[in-house]
Short mmCIF file of all heavy atoms in Angstrom, two decimals:
data_model
loop_
_atom_site.label_atom_id
_atom_site.label_comp_id
_atom_site.label_asym_id
_atom_site.label_seq_id
_atom_site.Cartn_x
_atom_site.Cartn_y
_atom_site.Cartn_z
N HIS A 189 6.46 -34.31 -8.87
CA HIS A 189 7.54 -33.41 -8.50
C HIS A 189 7.43 -33.16 -7.00
O HIS A 189 6.48 -33.61 -6.36
CB HIS A 189 7.47 -32.10 -9.28
CG HIS A 189 6.23 -31.29 -9.01
ND1 HIS A 189 5.00 -31.59 -9.57
CD2 HIS A 189 6.01 -30.21 -8.21
CE1 HIS A 189 4.09 -30.75 -9.15
NE2 HIS A 189 4.67 -29.89 -8.31
N THR A 190 8.38 -32.43 -6.43
CA THR A 190 8.32 -32.15 -5.00
C THR A 190 7.91 -30.71 -4.75
O THR A 190 8.18 -29.81 -5.54
CB THR A 190 9.66 -32.41 -4.30
OG1 THR A 190 10.67 -31.56 -4.87
CG2 THR A 190 10.07 -33.86 -4.42
N ASP A 191 7.23 -30.51 -3.63
CA ASP A 191 6.83 -29.20 -3.13
C ASP A 191 7.79 -28.88 -1.98
O ASP A 191 7.85 -29.61 -0.99
CB ASP A 191 5.38 -29.27 -2.64
CG ASP A 191 4.87 -27.95 -2.09
OD1 ASP A 191 5.42 -26.90 -2.46
OD2 ASP A 191 3.91 -27.98 -1.29
N ASP A 192 8.57 -27.78 -2.12
CA ASP A 192 9.66 -27.51 -1.19
C ASP A 192 9.37 -26.36 -0.24
O ASP A 192 8.67 -25.40 -0.59
CB ASP A 192 10.95 -27.21 -1.97
CG ASP A 192 11.37 -28.37 -2.85
OD1 ASP A 192 11.05 -29.53 -2.51
OD2 ASP A 192 12.02 -28.13 -3.89
N ASP A 193 9.92 -26.44 0.96
CA ASP A 193 9.83 -25.41 1.99
C ASP A 193 10.80 -24.28 1.63
O ASP A 193 12.00 -24.51 1.49
CB ASP A 193 10.21 -26.03 3.34
CG ASP A 193 10.11 -25.07 4.51
OD1 ASP A 193 10.38 -23.87 4.34
OD2 ASP A 193 9.79 -25.53 5.63
N PRO A 194 10.32 -23.04 1.44
CA PRO A 194 11.23 -21.95 1.03
C PRO A 194 12.24 -21.55 2.11
O PRO A 194 13.25 -20.94 1.79
CB PRO A 194 10.28 -20.80 0.70
CG PRO A 194 9.03 -21.10 1.46
CD PRO A 194 8.93 -22.59 1.51
N TRP A 195 11.97 -21.88 3.37
CA TRP A 195 12.91 -21.54 4.44
C TRP A 195 14.02 -22.58 4.57
O TRP A 195 15.20 -22.24 4.59
CB TRP A 195 12.18 -21.37 5.77
CG TRP A 195 13.09 -21.22 6.96
CD1 TRP A 195 13.28 -22.12 7.96
CD2 TRP A 195 13.92 -20.10 7.26
NE1 TRP A 195 14.19 -21.64 8.88
CE2 TRP A 195 14.60 -20.40 8.47
CE3 TRP A 195 14.18 -18.88 6.63
CZ2 TRP A 195 15.51 -19.52 9.06
CZ3 TRP A 195 15.09 -18.00 7.22
CH2 TRP A 195 15.73 -18.32 8.41
N THR A 196 13.64 -23.85 4.60
CA THR A 196 14.63 -24.91 4.79
C THR A 196 15.14 -25.50 3.48
O THR A 196 16.22 -26.10 3.45
CB THR A 196 14.03 -26.05 5.62
OG1 THR A 196 12.98 -26.69 4.86
CG2 THR A 196 13.48 -25.55 6.94
N GLY A 197 14.37 -25.35 2.43
CA GLY A 197 14.71 -25.99 1.16
C GLY A 197 14.36 -27.46 1.10
O GLY A 197 14.53 -28.10 0.06
N ARG A 198 13.83 -28.01 2.18
CA ARG A 198 13.52 -29.43 2.22
C ARG A 198 12.17 -29.71 1.54
O ARG A 198 11.25 -28.90 1.64
CB ARG A 198 13.49 -29.95 3.65
CG ARG A 198 14.86 -29.96 4.33
CD ARG A 198 14.82 -30.79 5.61
NE ARG A 198 13.99 -30.16 6.64
CZ ARG A 198 14.47 -29.34 7.58
NH1 ARG A 198 15.75 -29.03 7.61
NH2 ARG A 198 13.64 -28.82 8.48
N PRO A 199 12.04 -30.87 0.90
CA PRO A 199 10.75 -31.21 0.27
C PRO A 199 9.68 -31.53 1.31
O PRO A 199 9.97 -32.15 2.34
CB PRO A 199 11.09 -32.44 -0.59
CG PRO A 199 12.30 -33.04 0.06
CD PRO A 199 13.07 -31.90 0.64
N LEU A 200 8.48 -31.08 1.05
CA LEU A 200 7.34 -31.32 1.94
C LEU A 200 6.49 -32.49 1.48
O LEU A 200 5.91 -33.21 2.29
CB LEU A 200 6.45 -30.08 1.99
CG LEU A 200 7.08 -28.78 2.48
CD1 LEU A 200 6.14 -27.63 2.22
CD2 LEU A 200 7.45 -28.89 3.94
N ALA A 201 6.38 -32.65 0.16
CA ALA A 201 5.48 -33.67 -0.38
C ALA A 201 5.83 -33.95 -1.83
O ALA A 201 6.49 -33.15 -2.49
CB ALA A 201 4.03 -33.19 -0.27
N ARG A 202 5.37 -35.11 -2.29
CA ARG A 202 5.37 -35.39 -3.72
C ARG A 202 4.03 -34.90 -4.29
O ARG A 202 2.98 -35.09 -3.67
CB ARG A 202 5.52 -36.88 -3.99
CG ARG A 202 6.87 -37.46 -3.60
CD ARG A 202 6.91 -38.96 -3.90
NE ARG A 202 6.04 -39.71 -3.03
CZ ARG A 202 5.15 -40.60 -3.44
NH1 ARG A 202 4.99 -40.84 -4.74
NH2 ARG A 202 4.40 -41.26 -2.59
N VAL A 203 4.08 -34.30 -5.45
CA VAL A 203 2.88 -33.67 -6.02
C VAL A 203 2.68 -34.18 -7.45
O VAL A 203 3.64 -34.29 -8.23
CB VAL A 203 3.02 -32.13 -6.03
CG1 VAL A 203 1.76 -31.49 -6.59
CG2 VAL A 203 3.32 -31.62 -4.63
N ALA A 204 1.43 -34.46 -7.79
CA ALA A 204 1.10 -34.88 -9.15
C ALA A 204 1.41 -33.76 -10.14
O ALA A 204 1.00 -32.62 -9.94
CB ALA A 204 -0.37 -35.28 -9.24
N SER A 205 2.14 -34.09 -11.18
CA SER A 205 2.53 -33.11 -12.21
C SER A 205 1.55 -33.20 -13.37
O SER A 205 1.72 -34.03 -14.28
CB SER A 205 3.96 -33.36 -12.69
OG SER A 205 4.86 -33.35 -11.60
N GLY A 206 0.53 -32.37 -13.33
CA GLY A 206 -0.53 -32.44 -14.32
C GLY A 206 -0.16 -31.81 -15.65
O GLY A 206 0.82 -31.08 -15.78
N ASP A 207 -0.99 -32.11 -16.66
CA ASP A 207 -0.82 -31.50 -17.98
C ASP A 207 -2.20 -31.21 -18.56
O ASP A 207 -3.21 -31.27 -17.84
CB ASP A 207 0.01 -32.40 -18.89
CG ASP A 207 -0.59 -33.79 -19.09
OD1 ASP A 207 -1.79 -33.98 -18.80
OD2 ASP A 207 0.14 -34.70 -19.53
N ALA A 208 -2.25 -30.91 -19.84
CA ALA A 208 -3.52 -30.55 -20.48
C ALA A 208 -4.54 -31.69 -20.41
O ALA A 208 -5.74 -31.44 -20.29
CB ALA A 208 -3.28 -30.14 -21.93
N ASP A 209 -4.07 -32.93 -20.48
CA ASP A 209 -5.00 -34.07 -20.40
C ASP A 209 -5.69 -34.13 -19.03
O ASP A 209 -6.89 -34.43 -18.94
CB ASP A 209 -4.26 -35.38 -20.67
CG ASP A 209 -3.83 -35.51 -22.11
OD1 ASP A 209 -4.46 -34.89 -22.99
OD2 ASP A 209 -2.84 -36.23 -22.37
N ASP A 210 -4.92 -33.85 -17.97
CA ASP A 210 -5.51 -33.82 -16.63
C ASP A 210 -6.51 -32.68 -16.50
O ASP A 210 -7.57 -32.83 -15.89
CB ASP A 210 -4.42 -33.70 -15.58
CG ASP A 210 -3.49 -34.89 -15.56
OD1 ASP A 210 -3.96 -35.99 -15.24
OD2 ASP A 210 -2.31 -34.74 -15.91
N ALA A 211 -6.17 -31.53 -17.07
CA ALA A 211 -7.09 -30.40 -17.03
C ALA A 211 -8.38 -30.73 -17.77
O ALA A 211 -9.49 -30.41 -17.31
CB ALA A 211 -6.43 -29.17 -17.65
N ARG A 212 -8.25 -31.40 -18.90
CA ARG A 212 -9.43 -31.76 -19.69
C ARG A 212 -10.32 -32.73 -18.91
O ARG A 212 -11.55 -32.61 -18.89
CB ARG A 212 -8.97 -32.39 -21.00
CG ARG A 212 -10.04 -32.49 -22.08
CD ARG A 212 -9.44 -32.96 -23.40
NE ARG A 212 -8.34 -32.12 -23.81
CZ ARG A 212 -7.07 -32.52 -23.92
NH1 ARG A 212 -6.74 -33.77 -23.66
NH2 ARG A 212 -6.13 -31.68 -24.29
N ARG A 213 -9.69 -33.68 -18.22
CA ARG A 213 -10.44 -34.63 -17.40
C ARG A 213 -11.21 -33.90 -16.29
O ARG A 213 -12.36 -34.22 -15.99
CB ARG A 213 -9.46 -35.65 -16.82
CG ARG A 213 -10.07 -36.70 -15.93
CD ARG A 213 -9.10 -37.82 -15.59
NE ARG A 213 -7.81 -37.36 -15.10
CZ ARG A 213 -6.98 -38.09 -14.37
NH1 ARG A 213 -7.32 -39.33 -14.03
NH2 ARG A 213 -5.83 -37.62 -13.97
N ALA A 214 -10.57 -32.90 -15.68
CA ALA A 214 -11.22 -32.14 -14.61
C ALA A 214 -12.38 -31.30 -15.15
O ALA A 214 -13.43 -31.17 -14.50
CB ALA A 214 -10.19 -31.25 -13.92
N ILE A 215 -12.20 -30.73 -16.33
CA ILE A 215 -13.26 -29.92 -16.93
C ILE A 215 -14.48 -30.78 -17.21
O ILE A 215 -15.63 -30.38 -16.95
CB ILE A 215 -12.75 -29.24 -18.22
CG1 ILE A 215 -11.69 -28.19 -17.90
CG2 ILE A 215 -13.91 -28.61 -19.00
CD1 ILE A 215 -10.90 -27.72 -19.10
N GLU A 216 -14.27 -31.96 -17.75
CA GLU A 216 -15.39 -32.85 -18.05
C GLU A 216 -16.11 -33.27 -16.76
O GLU A 216 -17.34 -33.39 -16.73
CB GLU A 216 -14.91 -34.07 -18.83
CG GLU A 216 -14.41 -33.76 -20.23
CD GLU A 216 -15.47 -33.18 -21.15
OE1 GLU A 216 -16.67 -33.31 -20.84
OE2 GLU A 216 -15.11 -32.59 -22.19
N ALA A 217 -15.33 -33.49 -15.70
CA ALA A 217 -15.96 -33.84 -14.41
C ALA A 217 -16.80 -32.68 -13.89
O ALA A 217 -17.90 -32.89 -13.36
CB ALA A 217 -14.87 -34.20 -13.40
N ALA A 218 -16.28 -31.46 -14.02
CA ALA A 218 -17.04 -30.29 -13.58
C ALA A 218 -18.31 -30.11 -14.39
O ALA A 218 -19.37 -29.77 -13.85
CB ALA A 218 -16.16 -29.04 -13.68
N HIS A 219 -18.20 -30.35 -15.69
CA HIS A 219 -19.39 -30.24 -16.55
C HIS A 219 -20.44 -31.28 -16.17
O HIS A 219 -21.64 -30.98 -16.10
CB HIS A 219 -18.99 -30.40 -18.01
CG HIS A 219 -20.13 -30.40 -18.96
ND1 HIS A 219 -20.88 -29.28 -19.24
CD2 HIS A 219 -20.70 -31.41 -19.69
CE1 HIS A 219 -21.83 -29.57 -20.09
NE2 HIS A 219 -21.75 -30.85 -20.38
N ALA A 220 -20.00 -32.49 -15.89
CA ALA A 220 -20.93 -33.55 -15.52
C ALA A 220 -21.65 -33.25 -14.21
O ALA A 220 -22.79 -33.65 -14.00
CB ALA A 220 -20.20 -34.89 -15.43
N ALA A 221 -20.98 -32.54 -13.31
CA ALA A 221 -21.56 -32.24 -12.01
C ALA A 221 -22.43 -30.98 -12.02
O ALA A 221 -23.15 -30.72 -11.04
CB ALA A 221 -20.45 -32.06 -10.97
N PHE A 222 -22.37 -30.22 -13.09
CA PHE A 222 -22.99 -28.89 -13.09
C PHE A 222 -24.49 -28.93 -12.88
O PHE A 222 -25.03 -28.22 -12.01
CB PHE A 222 -22.65 -28.13 -14.37
CG PHE A 222 -23.43 -26.86 -14.54
CD1 PHE A 222 -23.26 -25.81 -13.64
CD2 PHE A 222 -24.36 -26.72 -15.55
CE1 PHE A 222 -23.99 -24.64 -13.78
CE2 PHE A 222 -25.10 -25.55 -15.69
CZ PHE A 222 -24.91 -24.51 -14.80
N ASP A 223 -25.21 -29.72 -13.64
CA ASP A 223 -26.68 -29.69 -13.54
C ASP A 223 -27.16 -29.98 -12.12
O ASP A 223 -28.05 -29.30 -11.59
CB ASP A 223 -27.30 -30.69 -14.52
CG ASP A 223 -27.33 -30.17 -15.95
OD1 ASP A 223 -27.14 -28.94 -16.12
OD2 ASP A 223 -27.51 -30.98 -16.88
#
Side-chain angles (χ1 to χ4, degrees):
H189 63 282
T190 60
D191 180 23
D192 300 332
D193 182 326
W195 171 249
T196 66
R198 291 194 293 266
L200 301 170
R202 293 180 292 130
V203 182
S205 304
D207 58 17
D209 290 335
D210 296 295
R212 195 173 306 116
R213 179 170 50 158
I215 292 166
E216 293 298 342
H219 176 70
F222 171 64
D223 282 345

